[in-house]
Each structure stands twice: as C-alpha cells, then as structure tokens.
Amino acid sequence: MVVEQTHVLISYNDRKNAVLDQDYEVARQLASTLQQKGIVAQIKGYSATALDSTDIQWFIFVYSPAMRQSAYMVDIVNAACDLVVNRHMRGILAVTADAADLPIEWASIRKYDASDPTENVAEGILRAMRSTKAPYTKTQERTWNQSQRV
C-alpha cells in the first residue's frame, strides 16, 4: 500500500525585527513537530511565499498585522482559500504568535493561538489535518437520463 506524504507550507513574517523573530520561532517549532509526525513541512517568509507547487496540500500562515498590510500576502491567502474551495488543496490554517484576531474576511479560517499555554497548537493542527476530507483528484461528470428518475 502506498501512503501519500502530506506537504505543508508554513509562512511567517520575515521582516527583520526582534518582535517578529517570535513569528519565525512559532513557524520553526510547528514545522519541527509536523516533521516528527512524517509531514513534509517547509517554512518561507512572507516575501518568499508562493503557492506554485502542486505538492502543497496545506497552507499555514503565522498571522501578524503586517500581513494585512501586504497586498501580496492578502492575495496569497485569498488564492489559498480558492484552491481549498476548488479542492486543489486540503486546507488553510492560521497561527498567531499573540492573541490577535484575523480580519473578518478570513473568519472561516481556523486559527490557533500559540501564545496561549493551554492550547497545543501542533496537536490542534494535526487533528484538523486528520478530520479534513481529501480533495477530489478529478471532477466527476454526472449525466442524467430517464432511468434515474425517482
């Protein structure tokens, strides 16, 4: 039996700032935990994030207010949402390094708060990954004929 590996892209705020190093640390720790579970996790800063790989099944971003001010990252998140809706990706998840709220237009994205010591972010993300349906690999066409009437 062939088991497909799960591929995750984790994006974080990569502007140089002591406070933002916390975003990288959250991304690094999450990637390390996921890799221990056999998941292929790559980390990229906001400036290098791209959804051009067909291998990416999950997009996880470490949200910071700077993300909202970056038209590029807003487009990336919206494109990821479209890919999930069209079943070309399995899901998109958000992690915050502090107790920040996501913008209202992203309210449907599941968010985990890494600053809350009672919340095990990696376990929550692994649980979300297990409970999501696999994407369709190809659109199924349905034809209707007289014999299908109820």
Side-chain angles (χ1 to χ4, degrees):
M1 178 176 169
V2 176
V3 177
E4 180 183 320
Q5 273 195 307
T6 301
H7 292 260
V8 175
L9 172 60
I10 303 170
S11 183
Y12 70 95
N13 189 352
D14 58 350
R15 290 188 179 170
K16 297 299 174 201
N17 181 325
V19 173
L20 299 179
D21 290 341
Q22 179 181 355
D23 291 354
Y24 170 74
E25 189 57 29
V26 167
R28 189 194 63 72
Q29 286 178 2
L30 178 58
S32 176
T33 302
L34 295 177
Q35 289 166 348
Q36 290 172 7
K37 300 291 184 178
I39 295 170
V40 178
Q42 56 180 305
I43 304 171
K44 291 189 178 182
Y46 289 172
S47 61
T49 296
L51 297 175
D52 55 4
S53 171
T54 57
D55 289 342
I56 297 171
Q57 297 160 326
W58 288 90
F59 177 58
I60 301 172
F61 61 91
V62 180
Y63 179 76
S64 73
M67 182 181 211
R68 192 69 190 114
Q69 297 166 1
S70 166
Y72 177 73
M73 281 309 295
V74 169
D75 289 346
I76 291 285
V77 172
N78 291 337
C81 289
D82 287 342
L83 289 169
V84 172
V85 167
N86 292 317
R87 302 228 176 188
H88 297 292
M89 278 179 45
R90 290 189 180 166
I92 180 171
L93 302 168
V95 177
T96 57
D98 54 25
D101 286 328
L102 296 179
I104 193 77
E105 61 269 21
W106 298 338
S108 64
I109 297 172
R110 186 176 285 171
K111 179 189 83 145
Y112 300 90
D113 182 0
S115 69
D116 182 352
T118 64
E119 186 169 355
N120 187 331
V121 172
E123 255 329 291
I125 286 174
L126 287 166
R127 207 172 20 258
M129 289 176 158
R130 285 190 299 266
S131 66
T132 302
K133 295 179 183 177
Y136 294 118
T137 55
K138 158 173 139 177
T139 305
Q140 295 179 351
E141 292 183 32
R142 291 188 69 187
T143 57
W144 186 82
N145 61 39
Q146 296 290 342
S147 64
Q148 292 176 317
R149 272 194 205 163
V150 177

